[in-house]
Amino acid sequence: MRVNRKELHLALVACAKVTDLKNPLPALRSVLLRLGEDAAFLSATDLTRYLICTVPGSIGAQPGGSCVVPLKTFAGLVQPIGRAKAGQVVELQIACEGVRTKLIVSIEQDATTIWCSDAGDFPEIPPAVREAEGKRISYVSGEFAKSIEYVGQACETAPYRHLNMINLAGQYMTATDGHRLHREILVPSNNALFPDVLIPDSCGPVFSEICGRLDSVDDITLEYLNPDPTMGESWLRADCPRAGREFFVRLSDAQAPDYERVIPSAKVIPHKIFLESSFLERALSRMRKVVPSLCQPTLTLNADSAKLNMVSKDDDTDIEMALNAREIQFRPQAKRIVEEIDGATVEREEIPTEVTVCFDAAYMMDAIDGAKGEIVVLFSEMDFSPIRIDVSPSRLAIVMPVRF
């Protein structure tokens, strides 16, 4: 079969997002290559995710055949070098030599032989899953790709596996690692009833690759599969023929956290700062250059101004930057103070003139990533009350404070 070199390489790059090249099992660091009548099919898996890529091609003298090819070797061989010719073609030929299978890859005048494993060694997706049908929901591909990339940042460093999940619940996409939370409101293109699902965050790059092959206004359709309810195992399928991709992922059977318990209402938070996202991003970037490893600035707010301050523990470098806020809402709460005066216990209330909160700069920069225009930062002076960032009408983030 003859296929386009660029399309073949892009398919192998997509497979690399699923395949674990460090897996001790050879089949799980390889791809299954099938030569059909008018296309080559590449399959990759880590037993939780299955990706099938379709590369259109022209039929050879004897169409058909399949083999399991080491991904790293195959991708390195067909990778375009320098300015490869547009429309350059790769010829794939599967042949048997005794009991062994080989793949002959021909590019112009060069031919390379790769010894392969038998197709039966590859763990394909269960037929019951591939043939199943279920409830479907559609999203605009461009918005879906941006949302899953933004939301996935909140759980990419989660210390526990059950937190490395993105919750998709209708129009809400949410993720958390226990220290921060990202949420995006994503309006479906259809009004179908769709169950709440927990998707591994490792699926984010795969969905982004699929959406990148579609027009930004095209829909991506997700299908919930439950082929055998008695087994309690459910799957999610994204079938995109226009992108040449079919993606399956085994869903987690864990229960999603109650996010509403940790998202404070904007109406009850006493302190609010309205400022340009670009200004806050530049201020945090400057501070992170001083302390790249652990940058934890403090935000100080009073009735008239807001400022960021950070002291480097290594060289005692003190950085202070005023935040040019459009509006500040400062509503301090009275604090109860108990003192000993002349042997007597005296209680009194004091209203602070300023409040301070400390946070992780990296988490805050992730929270405002991609923001355009004005954002709203809301927080309370109560110990370890979460900081809420309203990035846009459809996007919010929560960052937990740290001790300072």
Side-chain angles (χ1 to χ4, degrees):
M1 174 165 286
R2 296 166 64 86
V3 298
N4 182 276
R5 182 177 186 177
K6 180 180 178 180
E7 287 297 319
L8 178 60
H9 181 254
L10 290 176
L12 290 170
V13 171
C15 289
K17 300 179 186 297
V18 174
T19 306
D20 181 7
L21 296 179
K22 297 181 180 179
N23 196 294
L25 299 177
L28 295 183
R29 57 175 186 264
S30 304
V31 293
L32 173 64
L33 172 65
R34 292 186 184 276
L35 302 183
E37 293 184 357
D38 56 358
F41 302 94
L42 295 167
S43 302
T45 181
D46 61 358
L47 300 182
T48 297
R49 301 169 296 162
Y50 290 81
L51 178 65
I52 304 171
C53 301
T54 302
V55 183
S58 56
I59 303 174
Q62 296 180 351
S66 59
C67 60
V68 179
V69 194
L71 174 60
K72 189 174 182 179
T73 304
F74 197 9
L77 186 61
V78 302
Q79 180 180 6
I81 301 175
R83 294 184 178 180
K85 297 179 181 178
Q88 192 174 36
V89 173
V90 176
E91 183 176 294
L92 304 175
Q93 179 183 355
I94 298 176
C96 294
E97 189 171 304
V99 295
R100 304 181 68 186
T101 305
K102 63 181 180 180
L103 173 66
I104 303 174
V105 183
S106 302
I107 304 175
E108 294 183 344
Q109 303 300 321
D110 299 327
T112 305
T113 298
I114 304 176
W115 291 102
C116 307
S117 304
D118 187 80
D121 297 336
F122 189 83
E124 294 192 74
I125 188 168
V129 175
R130 189 156 191 183
E131 297 170 2
E133 295 182 358
K135 298 179 179 179
R136 299 185 178 188
I137 192 169
S138 299
Y139 299 96
V140 177
S141 61
E143 296 178 0
F144 185 83
K146 293 178 182 178
S147 298
I148 201 166
E149 181 180 359
Y150 174 75
V151 173
Q153 291 178 338
C155 62
E156 61 186 6
T157 58
Y160 305 107
R161 184 178 178 183
H162 69 277
L163 290 177
N164 290 117
M165 297 289 172
I166 298 173
N167 177 232
L168 182 62
Q171 64 176 356
Y172 293 106
M173 186 183 291
T174 316
T176 181
D177 63 358
H179 302 285
R180 53 179 169 166
L181 178 147
H182 289 184
R183 166 171 281 187
E184 181 96 19
I185 298 177
L186 191 63
V187 181
S189 302
N190 58 348
N191 295 323
L193 295 176
F194 197 78
D196 297 356
V197 296
L198 285 175
I199 307 171
D201 73 307
S202 57
C203 297
V206 183
F207 280 119
S208 297
E209 195 273 341
I210 295 174
C211 294
R213 294 180 60 83
L214 299 170
D215 291 337
S216 59
V217 295
D218 287 344
D219 283 351
I220 179 172
T221 301
L222 307 180
E223 186 174 5
Y224 177 80
L225 307 176
N226 191 7
D228 188 356
T230 60
M231 297 295 292
E233 187 177 85
S234 55
W235 294 74
L236 188 72
R237 171 167 57 194
D239 188 6
C240 302
R242 293 188 61 182
R245 304 287 187 265
E246 188 177 14
F247 183 48
F248 296 83
V249 56
R250 182 185 285 111
L251 300 173
S252 172
D253 57 357
Q255 186 176 1
D258 185 2
Y259 301 110
E260 303 304 326
R261 296 184 60 183
V262 297
I263 299 178
S265 172
K267 296 180 180 179
V268 300
I269 302 179
H271 311 304
K272 300 179 183 180
I273 310 171
F274 300 79
L275 73 162
E276 285 292 322
S277 59
S278 57
F279 185 87
L280 179 59
E281 185 176 6
R282 288 195 299 269
L284 293 174
S285 298
R286 179 183 171 187
M287 291 185 173
R288 290 194 69 186
K289 289 181 180 178
V290 178
V291 185
S293 58
L294 186 62
C295 180
Q296 295 178 344
T298 58
L299 172 60
T300 303
L301 180 70
N302 56 40
D304 302 317
S305 64
K307 63 181 179 180
L308 285 175
N309 181 275
M310 190 193 67
V311 178
S312 172
K313 297 180 180 179
D314 298 330
D315 54 7
D316 294 331
T317 302
D318 189 0
I319 300 178
E320 182 175 297
M321 299 186 67
L323 296 178
N324 186 19
R326 179 183 66 82
E327 180 183 347
I328 295 175
Q329 294 183 10
F330 181 67
R331 299 167 183 167
Q333 299 177 353
K335 291 185 177 181
R336 180 170 170 268
I337 300 176
V338 179
E339 296 178 321
E340 291 286 338
I341 301 178
D342 297 333
T345 302
V346 178
E347 295 185 8
R348 62 184 178 87
E349 288 188 349
E350 183 179 276
I351 299 179
T353 57
E354 65 178 23
V355 293
T356 302
V357 64
C358 183
F359 56 87
D360 190 299
Y363 288 176
M364 183 64 76
M365 291 188 69
D366 286 344
I368 63 176
D369 182 34
K372 296 180 180 179
E374 188 176 74
I375 63 172
V376 186
V377 180
L378 310 92
F379 68 97
S380 171
E381 66 264 33
M382 297 178 63
D383 290 340
F384 291 100
S385 294
I387 305 170
R388 170 171 171 157
I389 305 100
D390 289 346
V391 184
S392 70
S394 62
R395 180 178 291 185
L396 71 84
I398 300 295
V399 175
M400 294 302 296
V402 297
R403 295 185 182 275
F404 61 93

